[in-house]
Amino acid sequence: MRALPWLLALLLAACGGPLNNPHASGQAGRDILLSSFSERPKHLDPARSYSENEVVFTGQIYEPPLQYHYLKRPYQLEPLTATEMPQVRHLDARGRPLPAEAPAEAIAFTSYEIRIRPGIRYQPHPCFARDARGGQRYVPLDAKTLAAVDRLDDFRETGSRELIAADYVYQIKRLANPRLNSPIFGLMAEYIVGLQEYGAMLEQVVRDLPRDAYLDLQRYPLEGARVVDRYTYRITIRGKYPQFIYWLAMPFFAPVPPEAERFYSQPGMARLNLSLDWQPVGTGAYYLAVNDPNRVMILRRNPHYHPDFYPDAGEAGDRAEGLLRDAGRRLPLIGEAVYSLEKEDIPEWGKFLQGYYDSSGISSDTFDQAIRMGPDGQPDLSPRMRERGIELATAVRASISYMGFNMLDPVVGGNDCGAPEPPPGVDGAAPRRSGERLAGCERARKLRQAISIAVDYEEFISIFLNGRGIPAQGPLPPGIFGHREAAAGGVNPVVYRWREDAGGGRVVRRDVAEARRLLAEAGYPNGRDADTGKPLVLYFDTMDAGPDAKPRLDWLRKQFGKLDLQLVIRSTDYNRFQDKMLKGNAQIFQWGWNADYPDPENFLFLLYGPNRKVGRNGENAANYANPEFDRLFRRMKDMDNGPARQAVIDRMTEIARADAPWVFAYYPKSFGLRHAWVENAKPNLMANNTLKYRRLEPAQRVTYQARWNRPVWWPVGILGGLLAIALLPATLAYQRRLRAGAR
Amino acid sequence: MLAYVVRRVLYAIPILIGVNLLTFALFFVVNTPDDMARIHLGAKHVTPEAIVRWKADHGYDKPLFFNGTATGPARLTDTLFVEKSLGLFAFEFGQADDGRDIGREISIRMWPSLAIALPTFLVGLLVYVSLALILVFFRATYLDLAGVILCIVLMSISGLFYVIGGQYLLGKLWHLVPISGYAPGLEGLKFMLLPVLVGVVASLGDSSRFYRTLFLEEIHRDYVRTARAKGLPERLVLFRHVLGNAMIPILTGVVVVIPRLFLGSLIIESFFGIPGLGSYTIDAIQAQDFAIVRSMVFLGSVLYILGLLLTDLSYTLVDPRVRLE
């Protein structure tokens, strides 16, 4: 134990910095972002990758033609590798151009013509290395070369080449490659002309090929994706799908050089984990320099990165917050980003507080240390965070969490009740049904409305989310076109009412007495069936299980208990839960949705009848179907943002609120912390390539790290002293016993 | 002895088949290949066609144990069990569901596991045996009593507490070592200190008590009395004679562990961010990656059998009376 201080001192000398520095020495003083990731990415192939934890990497490496403006809100698309926004043309069934204002029914096809900037080059990579004859230097790979290879860096020669339109077309074809199992193939096959058939054809081709043989997609043309010239390509989709343009800002539509796929498909590569899925090749601001997903991933500045500049305009307040200080500067502003694997929250949080990570999220365990709720209910930093110069950024995510009712269930469900009368200016509602069916339908609707009132999500947000959410008033979260703030008439009248007060007014949840009245009208006075007198038992299916979930589930039972309803929790695992949902065997469940793109269509389709889960495998988990809602949805999805679209959305929201297939729970809020030395950190929950805008003050980081991590030696001294005190009587006793033995 | 070793190796084959059979049965009772496909394909836009394609691509589109559509021996061989199991016996682990080669991952990740497990094992053994011998030396005194109470206290505390407490005190409060992390080579020394210390302290209570009990059994034997009568100092009596004669029960517990050091520790690796085989297994279970789970269970079984064999062989080294035939 007495050697411990010496050992630690030796380590200090080896580290050349604070003893507890988990990073390589010298990194803190350079323009290197130090961050973490909690889950190793599964896929880095842009045709396969679809998770948030993967896009942290793929978003910086791959460049689709479009991107989201970093600063402007609401989110806006802008060209990235494209010279301008795509030229969109509507065509009739014979391929003849239609005017822009042509009705959706007349539009058989829509073409997107995209011209990319000349001169963009790929990152250095061995797949571009050339031999004397101009062929790929490492294709085919001889056994001797392969034997000397363990990592990608072992290929000594690298090269680069210019990005061309054919690379984008190649990637679109890859979406149909059956070996890749792209998660968006099914969706895109519905739209991109010929993609479905292309996939079927490739399945035949693959069947006749050896398992690992190279599949050269360049040999097989795809009707819906064509090269126009070296820098221009055209995508043709069926009908009108205005939201398609958002997909052009995702890595799925980023370019992939065929040479890379050819290079990686050689025998022996897969065994070394060398594949496009693990070693990406892109034109982005960064390339993946170190890929050790078990420990660390390092992105380094792409030396061939094309001219790209920090935006010189943003939304109001950005200039005052210093977000335009780097306007016009060449990107990227940071040379390297080191992401270390941190599976557990506690070590990650500890290192952030020590200054070893530049930014951090806030887990439930650490929330109280980081945040204090102000008297106005607004979150603010705790004094300890303020002392350290830590800054807080919050943003409402383009997501919704809801409690769904299975509309196929005989107790809580019942589609096609008809709908309340529409307001003037919007097409009429479907005719009301009559008779016994309507009565059952209405009963269930009132039951759902009563439950919607009783389940107090303000309380849930306060207890379980530490205030990191906004009670939802409808299916559309803030920031998405169609969302109305409560003060502007966006209150869900079924669950809330607007109360005027000195501050201008606020939303108040309706009283439980109103819920009880609705319940009685539904035929369940005091939670008992009026006909049989038996208590109403409802079933909540969840994959939440274990001790962590118990408080939440107890809380939920209590909410139903307010209406004297008995709630039986049916906890199950992820797979059984999915299975129940697919078969429509769940009754009440909790669900959520993260938007793919900031358009109301991407939320309202969750309630679109033909998109139901049962029988269609869609995303409408409640299996809700309302003819008027569906008709309005078909109209809304093709409309441009404007007053007419807003009116349709308002009506759809009204129908959804009245039918209450969901208890609109909350819109999650993301909280992020960053140290004072991190600049230009504006939350952008849609953009994937935000790393290039960040800037650091490394000197400040070094100073703070040294100040916050001075080793504390006195406990070691005390421990040593205690041990010595404990050993002293033992030593004395030992010697006494030896002397006694000798006698 | 060679015949004995060969016989034991042959015995291992049905055991490994049995282990593999059980792993298959247990895994697929909980998860169907459809479930696995759903987990790997994610929550959005998953079509039934995509599930079928995923299963075919990963070889999960065959029956588990019996193929009714095949004829002859293919009824048994053209099944998921046989196809996925045969390779294991040649240590061909195949690919994980994310496409990475499992054999390569194991060969990379066993070193970080070993870097933590081996020093923990060696330092631990030295500390536990020494402490136990000291307690035995002071048997039936207040020091012995205090030591036993301390051991019981240490045993009663969850291993997780030592991990979090160690990280908090040494890493977060006193800034003496990194809270977690790993680096290969010499740079990794600073990361090893805390997990090794935690690993040693976490087992200090139970291991020391166990060894104390073994040594107490020996301390009253005739040979110990004879050694003392010869005038040997107590130090030599304990460390040479008592320790030597207690070797068989010590080896029974120790040698069997040695091969399994490669597999690492699930908790330590997870909390300290050690990219070893322990965290590999945990991740695979969470991700329901059957290819990895199957490989790790198989490897664990092989190493356990190897450990038992080594234990038997080691008896012949410490006790000349033992003969393996």
Side-chain angles (χ1 to χ4, degrees), chain A residues 73-74 119 133 231 277 315 345 367 369 414 416 418 515 518 552 602 621 624 658 687 700 712:
Chain A
R73 302 290 182 278
R133 284 169 297 173
Y231 300 113
D277 209 18
E315 61 175 346
D345 291 337
F367 190 85
Q369 291 179 50
D416 201 9
L518 281 167
R552 280 193 299 275
N602 200 235
Y624 174 62
Q700 199 181 353
V712 181

Side-chain angles (χ1 to χ4, degrees), chain A residues 21 40 50 150 211 273 278 294-295 343 351 354 575-576 594 596 617 619 710 712 730 734 737, chain B residues 30-31 35 44-46 57 100-101 104 109 137-138 171 174-175 180 182 190 279 283 288:
Chain A
N21 184 359
R40 48 180 277 168
Y50 201 9
D150 191 51
R211 189 174 167 79
N273 289 336
W278 286 105
N294 305 327
R295 193 172 68 83
K343 287 187 192 166
K351 288 182 199 170
Q354 291 172 336
N575 289 321
R576 300 287 80 71
N594 289 321
D596 290 309
N617 202 30
E619 303 292 350
R710 288 194 188 107
V712 181
Y734 176 72
R737 184 167 284 201
Chain B
V30 181
N31 299 289
D35 296 337
K44 282 181 170 180
H45 312 302
V46 181
D57 197 37
R100 289 174 79 97
D101 189 81
R104 184 173 168 81
R109 298 183 74 136
F137 180 78
F138 291 113
W174 300 337
H175 310 139
S180 67
Y182 179 80
K190 61 180 177 184
S279 54
D283 290 349
Q288 299 192 9

Side-chain angles (χ1 to χ4, degrees), chain B residues 17-305:
Chain B
I17 291 173
V19 167
N20 214 18
L21 197 67
L22 266 176
T23 313
F24 259 78
L26 286 174
F27 194 92
F28 285 107
V29 161
V30 181
N31 299 289
T32 65
D34 280 42
D35 296 337
M36 293 162 68
R38 260 189 236 128
I39 281 199
H40 286 279
L41 292 172
K44 282 181 170 180
H45 312 302
V46 181
T47 59
E49 295 78 32
I51 290 174
V52 170
R53 268 201 307 274
W54 187 91
K55 287 194 297 184
D57 197 37
H58 290 79
Y60 290 115
D61 55 345
K62 292 189 173 166
L64 275 185
F65 299 111
F66 183 78
N67 190 345
T69 59
T71 52
R75 286 173 176 239
L76 292 175
T77 56
D78 192 20
T79 59
L80 201 54
F81 176 70
V82 172
E83 289 215 341
K84 300 281 181 189
S85 299
L86 276 182
L88 291 178
F89 286 87
F91 292 94
E92 287 287 336
F93 298 116
Q95 287 188 333
D97 290 339
D98 63 7
R100 289 174 79 97
D101 189 81
I102 297 173
R104 184 173 168 81
E105 282 284 304
I106 290 173
S107 68
I108 292 171
R109 298 183 74 136
M110 69 181 200
W111 299 112
S113 284
L114 214 53
I116 302 298
L118 194 61
T120 307
F121 171 74
L122 293 175
V123 174
L125 193 61
L126 187 72
V127 171
Y128 309 147
V129 168
S130 305
L131 183 64
L133 284 171
I134 291 171
L135 293 179
V136 167
F137 180 78
F138 291 113
R139 64 194 172 280
T141 67
Y142 285 113
L143 274 171
D144 181 29
L145 183 67
V148 172
I149 290 172
L150 180 70
C151 285
I152 290 171
V153 169
L154 290 172
M155 282 167 69
S156 312
I157 298 171
S158 156
L160 207 58
F161 177 84
Y162 294 111
V163 174
I164 295 171
Q167 285 181 332
Y168 181 76
L169 288 177
L170 286 165
K172 199 172 168 190
L173 212 60
W174 300 337
H175 310 139
L176 298 176
V177 288
I179 293 174
S180 67
Y182 179 80
L186 278 179
E187 211 181 332
L189 276 176
K190 61 180 177 184
F191 296 108
M192 286 166 56
L193 203 62
L194 186 54
V196 169
L197 185 67
V198 165
V200 170
V201 173
S203 297
L204 188 63
D206 50 352
S207 297
S208 297
R209 277 204 70 204
F210 172 69
Y211 291 129
R212 177 182 167 276
T213 311
L214 294 183
F215 297 144
L216 279 177
E217 292 260 320
E218 297 293 322
I219 202 81
H220 300 295
R221 306 251 172 168
D222 289 345
Y223 71 88
V224 177
R225 196 175 306 124
T226 309
R228 285 203 188 107
K230 280 199 315 186
L232 281 180
E234 192 68 9
R235 180 170 41 84
L236 285 182
V237 171
L238 286 174
F239 280 89
R240 186 180 292 171
H241 294 277
V242 174
L243 182 59
N245 282 283
M247 266 304 181
I248 285 205
I250 291 177
L251 287 176
T252 306
V254 167
V255 181
V256 74
V257 176
I258 294 173
R260 300 181 73 218
L261 293 176
F262 288 96
L263 298 180
S265 155
L266 303 184
I267 291 181
I268 295 268
E269 288 189 8
S270 196
F271 270 81
F272 286 104
I274 311 291
L277 290 176
S279 54
Y280 189 47
T281 311
I282 286 276
D283 290 349
I285 292 168
Q286 282 170 350
Q288 299 192 9
D289 193 325
F290 179 59
I292 299 175
V293 173
R294 181 186 74 219
S295 304
M296 293 308 296
V297 170
F298 182 82
L299 194 62
S301 311
V302 169
L303 291 174
Y304 190 69
I305 291 168

Side-chain angles (χ1 to χ4, degrees), chain A residues 3-174:
Chain A
L4 191 62
W6 294 106
L7 186 59
L8 290 172
L10 188 73
L11 288 175
L12 173 67
C15 298
L19 279 174
N20 61 347
N21 184 359
H23 302 295
S25 58
Q27 278 186 337
R30 294 160 52 201
D31 67 335
I32 299 175
L33 184 91
L34 302 173
S35 188
S36 64
F37 63 106
S38 61
E39 197 182 334
R40 48 180 277 168
K42 271 187 191 170
H43 301 293
L44 297 175
D45 183 330
R48 308 176 78 178
S49 167
Y50 201 9
S51 298
E52 277 183 44
N53 66 315
E54 293 160 358
V55 89
V56 170
F57 304 105
T58 56
Q60 324 310 324
I61 297 164
Y62 286 106
E63 289 193 305
L66 307 179
Q67 66 179 350
Y68 288 93
H69 193 283
Y70 183 51
L71 299 175
K72 288 182 182 171
R73 302 290 182 278
Y75 294 108
Q76 250 179 52
L77 286 175
E78 64 176 10
L80 175 57
T81 58
T83 54
E84 57 187 350
M85 292 300 282
Q87 288 181 9
V88 183
R89 289 197 309 160
H90 300 308
L91 308 168
D92 67 10
R94 291 184 184 176
R96 290 174 305 196
L98 291 168
E101 63 277 8
E105 308 80 64
I107 298 170
F109 304 103
T110 305
S111 78
Y112 293 78
E113 196 163 293
I114 300 154
R115 183 167 176 78
I116 56 167
R117 284 192 262 165
I120 295 174
R121 297 187 72 77
Y122 281 100
Q123 66 175 76
H125 194 277
C127 76
F128 299 121
R130 295 282 151 188
D131 59 20
R133 284 169 297 173
Q136 276 184 274
R137 163 73 180 80
Y138 293 113
V139 177
L141 202 54
D142 57 273
K144 192 181 161 195
T145 312
L146 187 64
V149 168
D150 191 51
R151 298 175 307 153
L152 199 62
D153 293 345
D154 294 332
F155 292 98
R156 289 189 182 167
E157 293 176 39
T158 61
S160 176
R161 76 155 167 84
E162 189 185 31
L163 170 71
I164 53 173
D167 299 337
Y168 282 97
V169 170
Y170 186 78
Q171 164 67 358
I172 295 168
K173 291 177 182 175
R174 293 182 78 243

